[in-house]
Amino acid sequence: MEMVSLYDLSFEGLRARLVGDGLKAAHATALWRTLYRDLESDPQQREDLPPPLRRWLSEGWGKTLGLSVASVKERVESSDGMTRKLLLDLSDRQEIETVLMGYPGRFTACLSSQAGCAMGCVFCATGQMGFVRHLSAGEIVAQVVQAQRLLRAEGGALRNLVMMGMGEPLHNYDAVMQALETVCHKPGISLAPSRVSVSTVGLVPAMVRFVEEKRPYALAVSLHAATDAERSALLPVNQRWPLAELMEACRYYSERLGRRMFFAWTLIAGRNDTKEHAECLAGLLGGMDAHVNLIRLNATAGFGGGASGEAAADAFRKRLQGAGIPCTIRQFRGIDVAAGCGQLRAARRGGGGGGS
Ligand code: SAH
Ligand code: SF4
């Protein structure tokens, strides 16, 4: 029998497995609490668990049961002390990144959904790496467990989650949704679904599925350009699902779920940060309940573009706001720890990691 990581099982999956092996449904709740409320790394050693459950654990441990190991290989802190980046080692030696940002009491973890990414956005260090593989639900859950352990040791706790690390979360839909259900499940890590945000480059069929399944998480679309020619040059995925289809899916999300649509716009000097670009974007979003997050490009070795200057970013923000579109400039946190998407791993491999 194959080895199963407990982090790969949904609550229902765990319960079905236990009941199938002759245990009680209540044992699932006891084990879940141990794994996710206590963040126990060696549950078979726990003497407070009911004896049949302990027996089940010790008989299978290391043979058919385990925990997906995502060990912390490297931990880098930014000089402002507000961003920490974890480089995690997976069982097949793949490396992924998890970033922790924030202040005590309101920490946000930025999770990876894949090793590498198939979408090939030209300015992105992960895109420049290419696709390696999907992460399992358990490997995504393990990132949250590691982050929560670290924060708990300091007396803190995780409050927000964003799927904005390496990879395109909607390309790995099932694993991402299962992982998010696990970390929101009570009693456990018990995050509020409204504090979880999924960022996509714009995979239209998966966005429609997200709406139809009424997923309780916020959705953010990485837009970066407001004409097909400009967007396709930055984000090859736009050739498959051009702006008209993407915007229709965004309107569907916002109208059907009654939620505000978030857009990300990475500001690249001269490429998408002029007065004309701001006007074009305002025209595209007119009439939609939308909010735009502006992020100045974090330069990567594989892309010739540079970050917009502060004055250009500010002028862009004011133009959008003047056109009635809510808009915020976000800091690309922890640039000095190469916290841009995929940049720590790229830097360690001598690849596309700039910004450090
Ligand atoms: N694949 C998803 C989520 C991960 S990327 C997506 O693309 O939305 C998270 C965000 O970082 C995206 O908005 C992406 O466009 C942006 N990003 C990637 N590389 C960047 C860079 N070098 N500088 C600034 N933003 C970047
Ligand atoms: Fe993938 Fe997002 Fe990077 Fe594009 S920006 S290559 S979708 S991780």
Side-chain angles (χ1 to χ4, degrees), residues 29 43 47 51 71 76 86 89 159 162 167 204 209 214 231 235 242 259 288 307 333 353:
T29 307
E47 292 181 3
S71 52
V76 191
L86 307 177
D89 222 357
R159 201 166 74 153
V162 293
V204 167
R209 183 174 167 200
K214 296 195 172 59
R231 193 163 190 270
L235 285 62
R259 288 190 222 145
M288 189 190 293
R333 280 297 201 59

Side-chain angles (χ1 to χ4, degrees), residues 215-232:
R215 295 288 168 180
Y217 320 113
L219 190 63
V221 166
S222 298
L223 202 54
H224 311 319
T227 67
D228 279 321
E230 286 173 332
R231 193 163 190 270
S232 294

Side-chain angles (χ1 to χ4, degrees), residues 110-111 113 117 119 121 123-126 163-169 198-202 220-224 235 264-267 295-300 332 340-341 343:
C110 177
L111 308 186
S113 55
C117 182
M119 300 301 143
C121 305
F123 51 79
C124 169
T126 310
M163 295 301 308
M164 290 187 193
M166 297 168 73
E168 165 51 45
V198 175
S199 175
T200 179
V201 72
V221 166
S222 298
L223 202 54
H224 311 319
L235 285 62
W265 188 280
T266 292
L267 287 163
I295 305 138
R296 289 163 64 218
L297 178 80
N298 201 16
T300 52
F332 211 140
C341 178
Q343 293 193 346

Side-chain angles (χ1 to χ4, degrees), residues 11-298:
F11 181 75
E12 293 71 29
L14 176 65
R15 190 174 51 198
R17 202 177 162 106
L18 288 170
V19 170
D21 287 346
L23 282 92
K24 293 191 193 134
H27 290 143
T29 307
L31 182 51
W32 194 268
R33 217 182 276 130
T34 306
L35 292 174
Y36 297 116
R37 190 195 60 191
D38 307 342
L39 308 174
E40 180 59 65
S41 57
D42 196 6
Q44 51 148 351
Q45 301 295 341
R46 284 282 293 255
E47 292 181 3
D48 57 334
L49 289 176
L53 183 57
R54 284 199 75 194
R55 242 184 339 266
W56 181 83
L57 284 167
S58 62
E59 278 165 14
W61 206 253
K63 294 185 271 276
T64 54
L65 292 177
L67 291 173
S68 34
V69 188
S71 52
V72 180
K73 183 173 181 189
E74 193 170 334
R75 204 167 120 180
V76 191
E77 316 239 347
S78 73
S79 52
D80 61 12
M82 294 202 299
T83 308
R84 269 173 293 182
K85 187 150 188 158
L86 307 177
L87 189 66
L88 304 178
D89 222 357
L90 304 180
S91 51
D92 60 353
R93 314 286 303 157
Q94 284 303 319
E95 293 166 358
I96 53 162
E97 302 171 356
T98 306
V99 182
L100 275 171
M101 304 167 280
Y103 312 91
R106 37 173 292 201
F107 281 101
T108 297
C110 177
L111 308 186
S112 294
S113 55
Q114 300 173 317
C117 182
M119 300 301 143
C121 305
V122 298
F123 51 79
C124 169
T126 310
Q128 290 159 15
M129 213 179 270
F131 180 69
V132 183
R133 70 169 174 86
H134 291 303
L135 300 189
S136 69
E139 288 168 334
I140 300 168
V141 168
Q143 294 174 64
V144 183
V145 170
Q146 290 285 19
Q148 183 79 324
R149 268 195 201 130
L150 201 130
L151 294 176
R152 191 173 287 176
E154 302 166 348
L158 201 57
R159 201 166 74 153
N160 303 292
L161 265 195
V162 293
M163 295 301 308
M164 290 187 193
M166 297 168 73
E168 165 51 45
L170 296 190
H171 184 208
N172 189 14
Y173 191 94
D174 292 328
V176 167
M177 294 305 150
Q178 187 188 311
L180 295 181
E181 276 175 27
T182 293
V183 299
C184 292
H185 193 98
K186 292 176 188 161
I189 296 176
S190 310
L191 289 174
S194 58
R195 296 194 179 280
V196 173
S197 169
V198 175
S199 175
T200 179
V201 72
L203 303 189
V204 167
M207 289 170 67
V208 170
R209 183 174 167 200
F210 186 96
V211 176
E212 285 176 350
E213 294 175 355
K214 296 195 172 59
R215 295 288 168 180
Y217 320 113
L219 190 63
V221 166
S222 298
L223 202 54
H224 311 319
T227 67
D228 279 321
E230 286 173 332
R231 193 163 190 270
S232 294
L234 293 173
L235 285 62
V237 73
N238 191 71
Q239 292 160 28
R240 181 73 181 80
W241 291 290
L243 278 169
E245 286 180 45
L246 176 60
M247 296 318 288
E248 197 185 317
C250 293
R251 291 206 158 79
Y252 184 56
Y253 168 87
S254 140
E255 283 160 20
R256 187 75 177 264
L257 299 182
R259 288 190 222 145
R260 171 166 287 195
M261 187 78 233
F262 288 87
F263 291 99
W265 188 280
T266 292
L267 287 163
I268 309 168
R271 264 307 276 261
N272 67 357
D273 68 346
T274 66
K275 175 170 176 280
E276 289 71 31
H277 290 110
E279 284 165 358
C280 188
L281 172 58
L284 189 71
L285 301 185
M288 189 190 293
D289 182 13
H291 184 109
V292 178
N293 285 317
L294 300 170
I295 305 138
R296 289 163 64 218
L297 178 80
N298 201 16

Side-chain angles (χ1 to χ4, degrees), residues 1-22:
M1 226 160 120
E2 233 184 289
M3 170 101 124
V4 167
S5 161
L6 293 174
Y7 293 150
D8 269 317
L9 298 177
S10 65
F11 181 75
E12 293 71 29
L14 176 65
R15 190 174 51 198
R17 202 177 162 106
L18 288 170
V19 170
D21 287 346

